[in-house]
Amino acid sequence: WGMERVPSTLPGGRERVGALTRTQVRRDRIGAALRAAGLNEHLGLAFADPEDMARLGWSLGPDEVPVDLLNPMSGEQAQMRWTLASDLLRTVSYNQRRGVADVQLYELGTVFWTAPGRKSPKERTMVGGVLAGSWSQPSWNASAPALDFFDGKGVIETLLDEMDVAKW
């Protein structure tokens, strides 16, 4: 019979409206604002190393525990991530060890945690960013200024202005 003889059709239904949800629009605005501020998007895995919490010196709340995987692919991916910071910092380290000193990244992703005795984990979408090195390369007559607190503050202000957050 042949596939070329099968007529093309659109799926039917009442809810076939081509629009983004409010959450998708918000995610797009956040990404556009951070890219406009000079950051590149980082897409990390949802898995984390259990040692990351100790390395960062952070802890979860008193009634919160990390989500351990039953059958992880490796020991370094034995938990669901509870922060975006560890993977962003690992990516900066990886790049700088290979000679890429200027790294400006953001990630808009989901983090996971649970409570003792709870079957399903809680999820929250978060945004994280990291700035390392400088915005530009040194020129023949001037060195490139290093990124500092005020550069990070400017990125956050740009994001909050774009999202119409008046009081923060």
Side-chain angles (χ1 to χ4, degrees):
W1 175 257
M3 288 299 293
E4 68 277 355
R5 297 175 78 184
V6 176
S8 61
T9 59
L10 291 174
R14 293 180 306 167
E15 312 246 342
R16 199 168 41 102
V17 178
L20 297 176
T21 65
R22 189 177 314 176
T23 302
Q24 290 171 325
V25 170
R26 188 177 309 125
R27 289 179 69 101
D28 287 350
R29 285 182 65 196
I30 290 170
L34 291 173
R35 286 189 302 275
L39 280 69
N40 295 306
E41 185 172 12
H42 173 268
L43 298 174
L45 295 175
F47 309 115
D49 187 348
E51 300 297 321
D52 284 345
M53 197 176 298
R55 282 189 202 111
L56 290 172
W58 294 355
S59 63
L60 292 171
D63 294 333
E64 298 172 342
V65 293
V67 178
D68 293 322
L69 297 174
L70 296 176
N71 190 14
M73 293 188 288
S74 71
E76 293 178 347
Q77 296 179 343
Q79 289 180 342
M80 299 298 287
R81 67 180 175 189
W82 50 271
T83 181
L84 301 175
S86 58
D87 200 28
L88 286 168
L89 292 172
R90 187 176 286 114
T91 303
V92 170
S93 173
Y94 178 87
N95 279 281
Q96 288 184 340
R97 285 192 316 260
R98 283 155 182 80
V100 181
D102 304 329
V103 182
Q104 300 88 26
L105 300 172
Y106 79 92
E107 183 170 358
L108 185 60
T110 306
V111 296
F112 308 86
W113 72 96
T114 189
R118 183 179 166 101
K119 288 186 178 181
S120 60
K122 295 180 182 180
E123 301 179 25
R124 179 178 294 156
T125 301
M126 301 185 93
V127 63
V130 63
L131 301 175
S134 65
W135 288 119
S136 61
Q137 298 294 320
S139 64
W140 68 273
N141 63 349
S143 62
L147 292 166
D148 61 9
F149 168 80
F150 297 104
D151 292 300
K153 182 176 179 272
V155 169
I156 292 171
E157 288 174 350
T158 299
L159 176 61
L160 294 174
D161 286 345
E162 176 61 31
M163 299 307 295
D164 298 323
V165 177
K167 190 173 185 179
W168 50 279

